[in-house]
Amino acid sequence: LEFPEAASRVSEKPKINTTVYDELGDRWYTAYDDPVALLRAQSRVIEPWVHAHLLKALPSVHGASVLDIGCGGGLVSNALATRGYTVTGIDLSTESLAVAARHDSTGRVRYLSGDALHLPFPDHSFDAVTCMDFLEHVEDPAAVIGEASRVLKPGGLFFFHTFNRNFLSGIVVIKLVEWFVKNTPPHLHLKRLFIKPAEIRSYLTRANLQLLDLVGIDPVWSTIDLASLCSGTIPTDMEFKVTKNLGISYLGFARKLAQ
Ligand SMILES: C[S@@+](CC[C@H](N)C(=O)[O-])C[C@H]1O[C@@H](n2cnc3c(N)ncnc32)[C@H](O)[C@@H]1O
């Protein structure tokens, strides 16, 4: 290389912030002056959508086994457990897992510390796997999807929510949050790790997963008031909604094909 130093600078990409979750404690469930409030508002739409599709797609499976990869503080895992699913949550952040376990009203969720890239389960272990607001937190989402598919039973379902990569999503998901929500750390999200729907489609195909539905998730802008914006907090009743617009963020599910 003519300019090896320049080449190494180019390859020094910023890394996504993974330590922020360790420090949240019960703020996973209580904070409004933090982007985690957006995650809670989102999960109020995402989790019922997952439940509805599980009911429809696996009608004969009662108490289906669900693995929640990158479960964090257990927002999705704990809600699914209250509906009767047999839930396992896995995450790198042991601090978040402790919070998740404290907020598990069923006392039945199995919380494990582990890496999404090396899941500690045999092949064909689960009826469903969820990856919510997670795939954009890793450098190799295709490998995570491959691992998810490996641990799914044939016919099992893979659910995911992530962010599209374009100018608008960069503004809405990264810049607006940095500008208007207190306690937003640097590199909470990185635009380069956002994933275009076409990329997800190809990762799913490679992992033997057939896409069954893909919908957009947008904020309901009218639920965000000026007073909250000015105070750097998320309104307690902020809502997200399912839309046809995949431009900002999207939610989908796929079925694992028989081998
Ligand atoms: C934005 S949070 C999503 C939490 C949860 N899925 C939800 O929707 O509330 C991302 C989570 O991914 C976890 N994480 C990041 N990299 C991971 C990895 N390689 N394996 C397991 N968990 C990871 C972080 O610790 C964090 O809890």
Side-chain angles (χ1 to χ4, degrees), residues 40 48 52 62 84 88 103 133 136 140 147 162 196 238 241:
R40 287 200 307 272
H62 296 287
T88 301
H103 287 262
D133 209 326
E136 75 283 1
D140 192 352
E147 264 297 83
T162 192
K196 290 182 184 282
M238 184 187 166
K241 63 177 179 193

Side-chain angles (χ1 to χ4, degrees), residues 42 46 131-134 136 160-163 217 249-251:
Q42 238 178 222
I46 287 176
C131 272
M132 296 311 178
D133 209 326
F134 174 70
E136 75 283 1
F160 55 92
H161 168 263
T162 192
F163 298 101
I217 296 287
S249 83
Y250 54 94
L251 171 64

Side-chain angles (χ1 to χ4, degrees), residues 210-232:
Q210 180 190 24
L211 185 63
L212 296 180
D213 200 3
L214 199 58
V215 296
I217 296 287
D218 279 353
V220 179
W221 294 105
S222 59
T223 61
I224 306 175
D225 59 281
L226 200 63
S228 301
L229 281 187
C230 294
S231 66

Side-chain angles (χ1 to χ4, degrees), residues 41-97:
Q42 238 178 222
S43 70
R44 290 197 288 269
V45 172
I46 287 176
E47 186 275 336
W49 192 90
V50 170
H51 171 56
H53 285 284
L54 277 171
L55 274 186
K56 237 190 282 173
L58 298 176
S60 58
V61 185
H62 296 287
S65 55
V66 180
L67 171 66
D68 187 18
I69 300 181
C71 63
L75 301 176
V76 174
S77 302
N78 288 342
L80 287 173
T82 59
R83 295 188 193 267
Y85 295 102
T86 306
V87 182
T88 301
I90 191 161
D91 201 285
L92 278 182
S93 166
T94 49
E95 290 84 350
S96 298
L97 291 168

Side-chain angles (χ1 to χ4, degrees), residues 71-243:
C71 63
L75 301 176
V76 174
S77 302
N78 288 342
L80 287 173
T82 59
R83 295 188 193 267
Y85 295 102
T86 306
V87 182
T88 301
I90 191 161
D91 201 285
L92 278 182
S93 166
T94 49
E95 290 84 350
S96 298
L97 291 168
V99 176
R102 273 206 302 281
H103 287 262
D104 168 19
S105 60
T106 69
R108 289 189 303 106
V109 181
R110 178 169 60 142
Y111 281 113
L112 300 174
S113 159
D115 186 347
L117 288 160
H118 307 283
L119 295 173
F121 310 108
D123 298 358
H124 309 167
S125 297
F126 297 95
D127 296 308
V129 173
T130 59
C131 272
M132 296 311 178
D133 209 326
F134 174 70
L135 293 170
E136 75 283 1
H137 288 262
V138 293
E139 295 286 340
D140 192 352
V144 171
I145 293 174
E147 264 297 83
S149 176
R150 179 184 69 75
V151 300
L152 267 178
K153 296 175 186 172
L157 303 178
F158 174 65
F159 290 87
F160 55 92
H161 168 263
T162 192
F163 298 101
N164 202 340
R165 187 177 67 256
N166 54 46
F167 178 74
L168 181 65
S169 67
I171 296 291
V172 173
V173 183
I174 299 180
K175 291 299 169 196
L176 290 185
V177 176
E178 285 177 355
W179 292 333
F180 291 110
V181 185
K182 275 186 194 165
N183 299 308
T184 302
H187 301 163
L188 179 68
H189 282 118
L190 296 174
K191 191 171 158 194
R192 72 176 178 83
L193 294 182
F194 287 0
I195 306 168
K196 290 182 184 282
E199 293 165 344
I200 282 277
R201 284 175 197 276
S202 111
Y203 302 155
L204 293 173
T205 304
R206 265 194 267 161
N208 201 29
L209 294 162
Q210 180 190 24
L211 185 63
L212 296 180
D213 200 3
L214 199 58
V215 296
I217 296 287
D218 279 353
V220 179
W221 294 105
S222 59
T223 61
I224 306 175
D225 59 281
L226 200 63
S228 301
L229 281 187
C230 294
S231 66
T233 61
I234 303 296
T236 51
D237 54 358
M238 184 187 166
E239 290 173 22
F240 283 82
K241 63 177 179 193
V242 172
T243 70

